[in-house]
Amino acid sequence: MKKHIIKLCLVVFATLLFFSCNDEFLERFPLDRISSETFWTSANDLEVFNNSLYNRIRDDRDVDFLVAHQDGYWSSRISIWYLDEFSDNIAPRHSRTIDYQKVRAGKFEAQTGARWYGWHSDGWRLVREIAVGMEGSALALENGVNQAEVNKYLAEQRLFRGIWYARKAFKFGNVPWIEAPLNIDSEQLYGPRTPKADVMANVMEDLNFACANLPDDWGVGATRLNRGAALLMKSRICLMEGTWRKYHGTGDANSWLQAAADAAKELMDGGNYSLYTTGDTDNDYQAMHKMLDLSGVSEVIHYRKYQAGIGMSNHVQSYHRGYNGGATKSIVEDYLCTDGKPITLSDLYMGDEVYENIFENRDPRLRQTILHPADVARWDWNKNDERLYPRIDGMEGGIKSTTGYHICKVYESGAAHATYNTSSTPAIIMRYAEALLNYAEAKEELGQLDQAVLDMTVNALRDRAGMPHLTMGATMDPRYAHWGVSAELVEIRRERRVELFMEGFRYDDLRRWKLGKELENPDLGMRWDAANSGRFDPAGDATIKTKTVDGVIYLAPYVGTDWEGPVFDEGKHYLWPLPLGAIAQNPELGQNPGY
Amino acid sequence: MKDKNGIKKALSFLMLCFFFASVSVGAYAQKTVTGTVKDDGGLPLPGVAVIIQGTTTGTVTGIDGEFSLSGVSNNATLVFSFVGMESQEVAVGTQTSLNVTMVTSSIGLEEVVAVGYGTQKRANLTGSVAMATAAQLENRPIASIGQGLQGAIPNLNITVQNNDPNNTADFNVRGFESINGGSPLILIDGVPGNMDKLNPNDVESVTVLKDAAAAAVYGARAAFGVILVETKRGKTGKMRVTLAAEESLAFPIALIDPEEDPYKAAIAWNTAETNTSGGTRFDDDYLAGFQRWNDNPTFENEWGVYEGSLRRYGFTDYKGMTIADFSVQQKYDMNISGATEDAAYYVSFGYLDKEGWAELPRDKNYMYKRYNVLMKADFKINDWLSMDEQISWSAEHDDNPHFYNWDVNINTVARVNPNAKVTFPDLPYYLTQGDRDQYEQFIGKYWLDDLNALPYWHDGGRDTETKHRLLMKQGVTLTPLKGLRIRGDFSYSTYHRERQDVASKITAVANTGDLANMYFENGFSGNDYIRNYSNYDQYYVANVYGEYTLDQWADHYIKAMVGYNQEWGRNTYISAQNNVLITPVITDLNATTGTQQTWGSRSHVSLRGVFYRLNYSYKERYLLEANGRYDGTSRFPKDDRFGFFPSVSAGWRLSNEPFMESTRSWLDNLKIRGSYGTLGNQLLGSNYYPYIATMGSGQSSYMFTGGKIPYVSAAGLVSPSLTWETVETRNIGIDLTLLNQRLDISVDAYTRNTKDMLMDVEYPDVLGTSAPKQNAADLQTMGWEMAATWRDRIGQDWSYSVLFGLSDNQSEITKYDNPTGALSEYYVGEKIGEIWGYETEGIFQTDAEVAAHADQASLGANWKAGDMMYKDQNGDGVINSGSNTLDDPGDRIIIGNNTARYSFSIQPDIQYKSWTLNLFFQGLFRDHLPANGNWQAFYPFNAGHVEKWYIEESWSPDNPDAFFAKPGVSTKDGKKNIHPQTRFVLDGSYIRLRNVTLSYEIPKNITQKAGMSRALLYVSGMNLWTGTNLHKPLYPDRTSTNNTQEYYFEKLVTMGVKLTF
């Protein structure tokens, strides 16, 4: 018996020993993750890290710059094509565009969380990640990576930061400037906002660094931000800041305007980009916007690529077809007549009594933007619908609009009727035409405009569209005389609105020109007198209400809705409110005036 | 419609088993024994079973309590058993006449209860321990143990998401655990596991260790209680074979009640649309068409063509087309058990087959099958060595339609229009006479209008999954000295999941009514693919512990236990997806032509600890126990890795005191208990390395040229000094047994302080990443629970018992770092479950009232008569949420609390002769605020269909006192009237007849002839009745996802048979 017990004790002892002698048993390190200590040793490391920044900006809800199209369901709500819904260009009614409608109507208040395109925590993640990347770039340099290589990636990081901060400054005014990755004990977490002027000075440095160090091409074309993109962004941001300063009276404007002009000019002189043209004035303006493959298109400076079935696909064509509402009377009437004069001055304008007459003797871009009833087959509209267009909400069948002005600028029949989320519609985020418009506007604001400038900019665009040239000494369009600017500037601004319609500029432009009050003009649609309603809607199904202007009845998409009677409070609406949650966490941020 | 094969299969299976079992029956005879059986009051007891031990031979006492049994040998033992009475075994010897007195069975003082690493007599417990036994889980149509235990143990709170057998119930002990989550430690035969996947019939007992004193030997994982599940093992006696078969019909509890008159529904929608956007949803032609069909519901009136578009004017009973009236659930069990002197064995096989709720043929439906095998053996090698082995294996197989998205798979019924087009109609002609040929290809094909789920369910691919769980365990028990017991065991378990998800292209009629422009499309299924998933997890547990019992002195009893535990786990995951199937028939990664993608991950974790328990009792009056554990985990940094968690408890059995002598006649037991202890919580879910900063990596869908781009992203922040949450519990309790053990009461009260809770501290957004978890907050939970049992007999034939359980708990945040008092976070003083909202003052009756009232602009625009009037709490003339902080909540107040209070259960059992009726009522009290997201069917016009009661209960000038505001389309910014508010805080309390079972035991004299020792037939019903004040269509349990079309709760009606040979 005793023998057994000894045996047993030995067994027990051995067992205990076996389980306890390995000290490392409780040391468990991650098996599938990379540690930051061993990273940052090669240019490739920097490249894949910068790829993560692109991955971060993929979600345009959170990171509201370089907006492209969201994928899947969210492409019904977030896309560069929808940004004009903040303005008087497009009048949607669909519930999924409700945030645009609220802003457009001036009926938005501070809310707890972040609004789309607003103060979103994932945007601040990008700021932190850029800062981590910039520290990593410094480490890579220490680790022996070639200075020029490092600068390329550093430039890309700083361009991201510059653009992001510029967007935030234009939306919120002062914003906290963060340079290094914060930790939970960083004072900056609870600090006040950095004055906009300081933020913009930093932005300028970032942009300058990017313009100096980015390559002209990464070898992948216009999908990765390169020097051309940096220059165009610089001209866009500097023009925004310069005109904002000028019209809002917040300080020296000219250095910014000059920088805007210089950056645009540098891009123009660089020769890497040119307007897309084949000499076909009836199609060239529009063609690019329907292309599925934008590689090699000389006008495109930056775009986002999609590929169904792999991950990034979208449904934006289909949603846009159903939800965009329609263009407004205001934009339609801004297109010039073929004599180069506005409809208020031209003898060629045939009025809006007969729908088709709107297109007669007008800038050919109008017919490439708004559906002409005779163009149904041309665009394969609604799969070559046999119905009479335009069609209005409430009518049966076909594509409906709220205004009677169907937008065909981007309509591509295949994708517009494709199965849910299987389309690869690309998003053009920056194109060369903008550089020309930026240059012309900056030059005029600087008082340096001359015919030569007009010819290389506005008139280049007009040549492509088959429109007569703008010349110095233009006549003032009486509709815009109250702006108090030169007739040339009015025309440059008109050119910008027309050329860049639906590309996300209008709302920002009105704000920087301090023309927010323009948004108090209610949106209208087509003439809806008895003749037109009888012709297009004999059954009287249309559910859009109307408004009588100077004795003529027009469709008025927002009459009878919550968005009737838009307001623009100049003391308030030029900036957006900060989310209440952010202020609750850090009262030092303070709210913008009026909210 | 329903498949009958299952029933046939079951019958043939049973027949086979009968044959198998009858081989084992046999008997031999020697002499006849007679006698009388009486109860402890001296009255004769009829109906007592008298069986020769180890055989199936026996008889039943007659009306005068007399019996006569032939064929009894001298060395036989007779077993006398009667329900509610203690079984008696009498050795026959040379006697031929026996008089036996049966005593009422004790309800547990002598009962042995499983505690951590050992057992304890219930009378000697000093911690808070509760137990449920096999009887509460058997003979009920439950698919999982979670369903069976709901309400069975006070303060064991079980939330069952729905009746989806794939889901696992959520278990909670004694209320809100930690803001960081947490759950009880569930051990099945000592190994962490998923108890919901066991075969309920294999479970011997479920023990809940509620307080620190009971759970301390489990240290860092026991903070929120421990649930010990013990499976059955072989019992002394001859081989026993049990066969059980159960057939249930499950009726989905889908409370949506759509308006079936499309005209009424259309008018209601139009009113809502007009109120919201000024438009309408259905034009005059539709209204006329609906009217026409209403008057005369013929096929001709069902369809029409208007302006070239096909229109449906008839009502579409989409609910009826998608939700089956009932489905079939089958359960079969077989087990064989027995023991010899040196070996005991228990082998069981269980099978569950549950058909889904959808109105689909069996091969298209949601299908679930589970197989359970349990094999256990105990060997006594010699005096001092015994060994035990266990293998448990289970396989779950589910086979469901591919999940496309919510629109298709979940919320369709709530979203469809009352006149939804489901299939393309067969009309004599469409646009012009004679054009039928042109449309023939579409006839009878599914339509994609109104998010029609049916084409996807039928042809959209299948998502199949098999999950295997395997546990192998070897134990050794040594008893080298009297009083010393040493046990070691090692178990190894694996979890292996293979899933294949196939999305295959469907072809259906495009969502356009436009007859000039009809075509087929793929809907959501355009991008077809196959994705395979594989998980392989391994886990081992090793335990060694020794226990020494010293009870050689009459007055002193000492027991000491010390042990060591070590656990290790490793998880791997691989997934691969290939796009574009060559043919939907061949579903393999190789049979694809599209882009390929892969994913993977690995992790590992380990734990070790030493633990002890000391028991001392003096004269069985004074009980003392100390427990503790020194525990280490790989989840924390080296210096913070170990923690010590001690507890003490004491009990005083007053009833055993000499001065209580006079009460003995009616007081069987009175014990007062108290305990104090601390435990740790290391449960961080799957965050195995919370203190190590690592960079993310993967493939981004962002594209530069073609295909994804690889990326490595910035590391987040981690805290270098993370450590345990500490949970401190105090418990006092009284156990009382009265009136000759008829009444048994146990009451406990406790506080549980969860300290240094690991939590995500929120920082301003500009931090730019998630803040690391910190030990930063405290929480206190207070509660109590009681369990009472009454058992008695009335006369000869009747016996009955009632179990009553009642419990309550409430939790409050006692420390939290929230300097601004933001309501989006926890704050000190917050009662868990608080509902914030506005106070409803009423409904504006006139526009003038709107003008006179405080400005509600920040809650929505365009306020008019018929809209909700919210109370201006702070009197500032504006209704808003202020700065959303505690100091400035605007006009919001606490309007309710959704924590379950006063959970109760009542379980009356009545027996009359061979008949038994078990009832099980369960319920609780709480407030409920229905969610106001899209497609939640509770609020008017938040979804697609129209509920009958919306129409009646929405405001109109004729109905000024309505419950709801005037109709408005919520999805079009009409949510202004359904902000969280007092009006919609509903009384969510309920009482439910969770189970009712009526069983009949076939008399022994019949069953014996058939070679059986017992035959039980029963009918049972689950969830047959619920009493609640909740407004339609809410169901008390379905609080998170109201009325989306996921797996429903069900009523089950069951017939079962259970035979023992």
Side-chain angles (χ1 to χ4, degrees), chain A residues 428-482:
Chain A
I428 300 173
I429 297 168
M430 293 182 229
R431 63 182 175 106
Y432 183 61
E434 183 202 345
L436 304 183
L437 291 162
N438 289 351
Y439 184 62
E441 186 180 335
K443 290 301 260 187
E444 165 60 17
E445 294 286 6
L446 286 164
Q448 299 167 0
L449 188 73
D450 56 27
Q451 192 60 42
V453 170
L454 283 178
D455 287 345
M456 72 175 87
T457 58
V458 174
N459 292 337
L461 293 168
R462 290 196 177 181
D463 285 343
R464 171 165 71 179
M467 283 289 290
H469 282 190
L470 172 64
T471 51
M472 295 300 286
T475 317
M476 174 63 76
D477 183 340
R479 286 175 297 182
Y480 302 121
H482 67 281

Side-chain angles (χ1 to χ4, degrees), chain B residues 830-851:
Chain B
E830 174 173 351
K831 296 249 192 299
I832 300 299
E834 276 175 7
I835 306 170
W836 282 79
Y838 298 98
E839 186 177 337
T840 319
E841 270 198 302
I843 294 177
F844 292 119
Q845 299 298 338
T846 61
D847 291 352
E849 276 181 44
V850 179

Side-chain angles (χ1 to χ4, degrees), chain A residues 19 25 27-29 32 34 51 55 95 124-125 184 223 305 309-310 312 387 396 419-420 545 562 584, chain B residues 278 311 514 523 564 566 579 602 604 606 608 695 700-701 704-705 708 710 765 768 774 820 862 971:
Chain A
F19 287 131
F25 182 71
E27 291 283 347
R28 300 285 163 181
F29 296 111
D32 54 4
I34 295 157
N51 286 354
N55 186 49
S95 60
W124 294 103
R125 274 177 195 269
I184 51 172
T223 47
K305 192 177 163 70
I310 291 189
M312 278 288 262
R387 295 187 171 81
E396 179 64 27
T419 288
Y420 173 73
K545 299 219 168 16
D562 288 353
Chain B
R311 285 189 161 189
D514 189 357
Y564 174 83
Q566 174 169 306
N579 289 24
R602 290 191 298 158
H604 55 172
S606 55
R608 76 172 22 151
M695 303 181 80
S700 169
S701 302
F704 290 145
T705 48
K708 296 188 170 190
D765 295 329
Q774 292 172 39
T820 59
N862 225 357
T971 50

Side-chain angles (χ1 to χ4, degrees), chain B residues 455-764:
Chain B
Y456 299 98
W457 285 357
H458 276 275
D459 299 315
R462 305 291 293 179
D463 185 349
T464 53
E465 183 176 47
T466 306
K467 289 175 270 194
H468 294 278
R469 291 182 176 81
L470 175 68
L471 166 69
M472 292 182 289
K473 185 175 170 188
Q474 170 71 60
V476 181
T477 308
L478 309 171
T479 46
L481 292 171
K482 185 174 160 25
L484 177 63
R485 184 170 162 268
I486 299 168
R487 182 174 161 79
D489 62 46
F490 180 84
S491 60
Y492 177 73
S493 56
T494 60
Y495 168 76
H496 184 205
R497 176 178 83 137
E498 284 294 344
R499 174 178 169 200
Q500 184 175 60
D501 190 9
V502 179
S504 51
K505 271 201 174 84
I506 61 151
T507 305
V509 182
N511 182 9
T512 162
D514 189 357
L515 284 166
N517 187 13
M518 297 298 306
Y519 53 96
F520 285 114
E521 68 164 19
N522 309 118
F524 292 112
S525 75
N527 173 32
D528 57 333
Y529 64 86
I530 296 179
R531 182 163 177 184
N532 280 21
Y533 300 77
S534 174
N535 287 72
Y536 183 59
D537 299 345
Q538 297 154 275
Y539 203 78
Y540 81 61
V541 178
N543 294 304
V544 185
Y545 56 98
E547 184 184 80
Y548 187 66
T549 313
L550 200 63
D551 59 352
Q552 48 212 140
W553 302 296
D555 295 343
H556 304 273
Y557 170 92
I558 298 170
K559 188 158 86 171
M561 188 269 288
V562 59
Y564 174 83
N565 160 266
Q566 174 169 306
E567 305 191 6
W568 168 90
R570 180 186 170 100
N571 309 314
T572 55
Y573 163 71
I574 303 173
S575 181
Q577 176 176 325
N578 285 7
N579 289 24
V580 190
L581 280 66
I582 294 171
T583 155
V585 185
I586 308 297
T587 51
D588 189 84
L589 290 175
N590 275 340
T592 53
T593 59
T595 323
Q596 310 189 347
Q597 287 168 269
T598 53
W599 296 266
S601 70
R602 290 191 298 158
S603 57
H604 55 172
V605 66
S606 55
L607 269 175
R608 76 172 22 151
V610 288
F611 49 86
Y612 65 89
R613 176 165 56 231
L614 286 167
N615 290 88
Y616 170 75
S617 81
Y618 176 69
K619 286 188 171 174
E620 292 219 329
R621 284 179 213 156
Y622 311 107
L623 309 164
L624 200 63
E625 182 175 315
N627 279 301
R629 178 163 173 138
Y630 183 66
D631 224 356
T633 174
S634 65
R635 294 186 192 232
F636 297 127
K638 206 160 189 170
D639 299 336
D640 297 312
R641 187 169 285 161
F642 281 92
F644 177 56
F645 306 104
S647 81
V648 289
S649 57
W652 181 23
R653 286 187 73 181
L654 273 93
S655 50
N656 286 8
E657 291 287 355
F659 60 78
M660 295 290 280
E661 197 69 50
S662 60
T663 63
R664 292 274 151 83
S665 60
W666 56 273
L667 180 66
D668 303 303
N669 181 39
L670 170 61
K671 180 171 68 179
I672 300 173
R673 302 178 269 113
S675 79
Y676 172 81
T678 57
L679 292 165
N681 178 27
Q682 59 120 28
L683 295 167
L684 300 164
S686 57
N687 189 0
Y688 296 118
Y689 321 103
Y691 68 99
I692 301 172
T694 53
M695 303 181 80
S697 60
Q699 300 277 324
S700 169
S701 302
Y702 203 98
M703 270 164 288
F704 290 145
T705 48
K708 296 188 170 190
I709 54 169
Y711 72 86
V712 173
S713 60
L717 293 169
V718 293
S719 162
S721 62
L722 274 192
T723 192
W724 322 87
E725 292 181 25
T726 312
V727 175
E728 179 190 76
T729 68
R730 293 179 177 81
N731 191 84
I732 54 165
I734 295 180
D735 296 329
L736 190 62
T737 309
L738 295 171
L739 305 173
N740 203 12
Q741 304 206 19
R742 281 193 185 90
L743 179 62
D744 191 67
I745 298 172
S746 181
V747 182
D748 279 87
Y750 63 91
T751 60
R752 180 166 74 192
N753 289 306
T754 310
K755 290 186 173 171
D756 302 328
M757 284 189 286
L758 294 173
M759 54 170 293
D760 291 317
V761 180
E762 282 195 37
Y763 286 92

